[in-house]
């Protein structure tokens, strides 16, 4: 990473009078390069790539979004949107208009209906707490600091997924400003094509300011982590692979190989250690069976075992993802199977002998994720049984070493890969073919056709872009 990644662009060729007029129209802040708050407004959780827009607008609500889109259209500038938490697009905006939605906060739970309305600026942490007060839980991710709306629009694979499916499967309605500046409340009946496309196509079709989602009757989990020394990686990975073929849909899990740095923020047993970490979330109506389900993995003698009954408000402790921003590169692949042969291929490229200290996670899919939702959406590749995500922090390795190392891992896994990817784990420099790989072929074609209706000029193109059909 070079210093230029963090330096603002050359002062833009944007009409200063138009920017001044925009600032008077919107309630939120408007900044251009050189302004004192420009860097803070454009900063995100992923610090490898920073948006470097000509103008950044901190929208307080739909009216601000509409004004920013009108400005972008008049000035002939493309638009990027940046949400809360991890929601920085992997494709950083070079010029154009960046609209940040982090100020659009608010959560309203309807306990009787089992739903919640969530503003675009909310992370899962607040939604979890509000839902818990009503004895309910959202289909949140492993990290409470993730932006709820961007996560859901990308599909959303979380701790309850094998029981309930993708978070995108449980969206009731969306408030979205489309490229023409129209604020729409989009539902299955009001705008069926747009409703289908937004749930999976994310910010290609408009800027979502809030969503209404289903909540689940979950208050507690049997969950936590099992930590093993890397020396037993082959045994534990193989046992995990076999175990996942036996567990019920109520059990969602993953296994990760992690090289921990030797830093004081970590507990002493993990500092400077390479480990295998099994993450378990059993969400059943009766949690008493959880201990028996986890017993085969406990028999392998983990050196740390935190699996126990916990309230859903503590669900973030299962993965313990770092809450602070970081500079990292990642890639993803979907597998049709995960067995001893896959383990052997993976361990040839991952572990203490590898030049790059990756975090490699294998998530068990299947269950309700494999089934079509009650209301169809654009989330693809439901036939995949496992998702592999490889992450490398660039504080510990150079990007020139990281990218070839990732390519070697995915090449080794290619015989078992389905050819698809998951949108929420696409990170790095992705071309059009990479984006298309996140969808089934017919669905991708339909997405381009809907894009041609709602954004024919491809105003929303500083993202994992789906171009309009010609």
């Amino acid at each position: 990473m070079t210093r230029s990644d963090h330096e603002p662009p050359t002062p833009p060729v944007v009409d200063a009078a138009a920017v001044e007029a925009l600032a008077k129209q919107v309630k939120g802040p408007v900044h251009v390069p050189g302004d004192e708050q420009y860097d803070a407004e454009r900063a995100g959780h992923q610090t490898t790539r920073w948006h470097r827009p000509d103008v950044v607008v901190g929208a307080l609500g739909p009216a601000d979004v509409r004004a920013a889109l009108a400005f972008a259209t008049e000035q002939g500038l493309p638009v990027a949107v940046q949400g809360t938490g991890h929601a920085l697009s992997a494709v950083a905006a070079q010029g154009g208009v960046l609209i940040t939605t982090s100020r659009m906060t608010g959560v309203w739970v309807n306990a009787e209906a089992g739903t919640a309305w969530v503003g675009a600026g909310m992370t899962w942490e607040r939604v979890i707490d509000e839902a818990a007060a009503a004895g309910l839980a959202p289909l949140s991710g492993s990290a409470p600091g993730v932006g709820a709306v961007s996560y859901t629009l990308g599909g959303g694979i979380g701790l309850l997924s094998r029981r309930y499916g993708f978070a995108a499967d449980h969206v009731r309605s969306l408030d979205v400003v489309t490229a023409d500046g129209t604020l729409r409340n989009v539902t299955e009946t009001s705008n069926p094509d747009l409703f289908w496309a937004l749930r999976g196509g994310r910010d290609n079709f408009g800027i979502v300011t809030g969503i209404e989602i289903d909540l689940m009757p979950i208050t507690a989990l049997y969950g936590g982590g099992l930590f093993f020394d890397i020396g037993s990686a082959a045994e534990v990975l193989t046992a995990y692979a076999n175990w996942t073929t036996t567990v019920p849909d109520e059990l969602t899990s993953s296994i990760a190989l992690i090289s921990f740095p030797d830093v004081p923020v970590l507990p002493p047993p993990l500092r400077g250690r390479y480990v295998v970490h099994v993450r378990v979330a059993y969400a059943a109506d009766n949690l008493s069976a959880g201990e028996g389900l986890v017993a085969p993995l406990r028999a392998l003698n983990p050196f740390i075992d935190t699996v126990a009954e916990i309230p859903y408000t503590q669900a973030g402790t299962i993965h313990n993802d770092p809450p602070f921003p970081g500079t990292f590169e990642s890639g993803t692949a979907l597998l049709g199977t995960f067995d001893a042969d896959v383990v052997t291929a993976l361990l040839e490229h991952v572990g203490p002998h590898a030049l790059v200290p990756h975090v490699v996670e294998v998530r068990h899919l299947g269950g309700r994720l494999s089934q079509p939702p009650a209301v169809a959406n654009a989330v693809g590749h439901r036939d995949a049984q496992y998702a592999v995500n490889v992450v490398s922090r660039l504080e510990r390795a150079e990007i020139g070493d990281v990218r070839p190392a990732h390519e070697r891992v995915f090449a080794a896994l290619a015989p078992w890969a389905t050819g698809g990817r998951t949108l929420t784990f696409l990170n790095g420099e992705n071309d059009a073919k990479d984006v298309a790989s996140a969808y089934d072929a017919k669905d991708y074609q339909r997405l381009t056709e809907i894009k041609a209706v709602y954004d024919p000029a491809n105003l929303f193109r500083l993202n994992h872009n789906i171009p309009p059909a010609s």
Side-chain angles (χ1 to χ4, degrees):
M1 181 175 56
T2 64
R3 178 172 170 76
S4 62
D5 293 316
H6 298 276
E7 292 174 349
T10 302
V13 183
V14 177
D15 187 342
V19 174
E20 184 178 351
L22 173 65
K24 293 178 180 178
Q25 292 180 53
V26 302
K27 294 181 178 179
V30 175
H31 298 296
V32 296
D35 287 355
E36 184 177 353
Q37 295 302 313
Y38 175 82
D39 282 345
E41 191 66 34
R42 70 189 179 107
H45 189 90
Q46 158 63 288
T47 60
T48 307
R49 297 171 182 82
W50 287 44
H51 288 309
R52 294 188 292 169
D54 296 325
V55 180
V56 55
V57 179
L60 293 187
D64 284 1
V65 173
R66 295 178 68 185
L69 292 182
F71 169 84
T73 300
E74 291 167 1
Q75 297 294 315
L77 297 172
V79 172
V81 59
Q82 180 169 302
T84 300
H86 294 60
L88 171 65
S89 170
V91 181
Q94 304 299 313
V97 176
L98 173 64
I99 301 174
T100 62
T101 62
S102 60
R103 293 173 178 82
M104 298 185 204
T105 57
V107 180
W108 290 271
V109 172
N110 184 331
E112 184 176 347
T115 62
W117 186 91
V118 181
M122 298 307 304
T123 63
W124 279 125
E125 185 173 24
R126 168 90 178 276
V127 184
I128 289 169
D129 289 342
E130 296 287 341
L136 301 166
L139 296 182
S140 52
S142 58
V146 167
V149 169
S150 57
Y151 163 94
T152 300
L153 297 180
I157 301 173
L159 300 174
L160 304 175
S161 291
R162 279 178 39 83
R163 179 171 181 180
Y164 294 108
F166 291 94
D169 297 346
H170 294 274
V171 176
R172 297 282 189 95
S173 67
L174 308 100
D175 295 330
V176 58
V177 182
T178 47
D180 62 358
T182 301
L183 173 61
R184 307 171 191 265
N185 179 253
V186 178
T187 68
E188 177 190 4
T189 55
S190 68
N191 302 88
D193 281 348
L194 187 56
F195 188 60
W196 177 85
L198 283 166
R199 294 171 303 131
R202 218 157 60 178
D203 53 347
N204 273 282
F205 302 91
I207 297 183
V208 173
T209 61
I211 60 176
E212 182 187 14
I213 59 173
D214 291 325
L215 300 175
M216 306 304 160
I218 296 291
T219 58
L221 299 170
Y222 186 74
L226 302 171
F227 292 82
F228 303 86
D229 187 79
I230 194 65
S232 59
E235 178 187 13
V236 175
L237 281 164
T238 302
Y240 175 80
N242 294 331
W243 177 73
T244 58
T245 66
T246 69
V247 298
D249 293 352
E250 290 83 1
L251 202 157
T252 300
S253 68
S254 71
I255 188 168
L257 282 72
I258 306 173
S259 171
F260 284 108
D262 188 1
V263 293
V265 70
L266 294 171
L270 297 178
R271 292 178 192 168
R273 191 167 184 174
Y274 217 132
V275 304
V276 183
H277 181 196
V278 178
R279 295 91 175 264
V280 175
Y282 179 55
D285 297 335
N286 185 346
L287 298 180
S288 61
E291 185 173 355
L293 289 170
V294 177
L297 298 181
R298 277 201 168 109
L300 301 176
N301 298 315
F303 68 87
I304 296 178
D305 179 350
T306 67
V307 183
E309 187 170 333
I310 58 173
Y312 195 78
T313 51
Q314 295 180 17
T317 64
I318 295 175
H319 283 238
N320 264 330
D321 293 325
F324 40 81
T327 173
F328 53 86
E329 187 83 0
S330 71
T332 183
L334 296 173
L335 305 183
T337 189
F338 184 61
D339 57 20
D341 291 336
V342 184
V343 170
T344 299
L346 184 63
L347 289 180
E348 288 180 4
H349 299 276
V350 178
H353 63 283
L355 295 178
V356 175
H358 308 301
V359 174
V360 178
E361 182 183 32
V362 181
R363 296 190 179 218
H364 184 206
L365 306 179
R368 191 69 180 84
L369 290 165
S370 296
Q371 301 175 33
V375 180
N377 58 46
V379 177
H381 305 303
R382 293 175 183 265
D383 58 333
Q385 296 300 302
Y386 300 88
V388 180
N389 196 35
V390 182
V391 181
S392 300
R393 295 189 72 90
L394 299 184
E395 301 97 331
R396 305 182 68 191
E398 295 293 330
I399 189 68
D401 296 324
V402 166
R403 287 176 179 163
H406 286 193
E407 290 172 3
R408 289 191 293 271
V409 172
F410 292 120
L413 297 176
W416 302 276
T418 66
R421 304 188 187 194
T422 55
L423 186 66
T424 48
F425 293 131
L426 271 184
N427 188 66
E429 301 298 335
N430 299 291
D431 59 21
K433 186 180 295 185
D434 294 328
V435 175
S437 72
Y439 304 97
D440 297 321
K442 289 183 179 180
D443 287 347
Y444 183 74
Q445 178 60 33
R446 183 183 175 191
L447 286 166
T448 66
E449 293 166 356
I450 296 172
K451 176 84 168 186
V453 173
Y454 288 98
D455 185 15
N458 205 8
L459 182 70
F460 302 116
R461 62 181 179 269
L462 300 174
N463 50 21
H464 292 307
N465 192 234
I466 299 171
S470 33

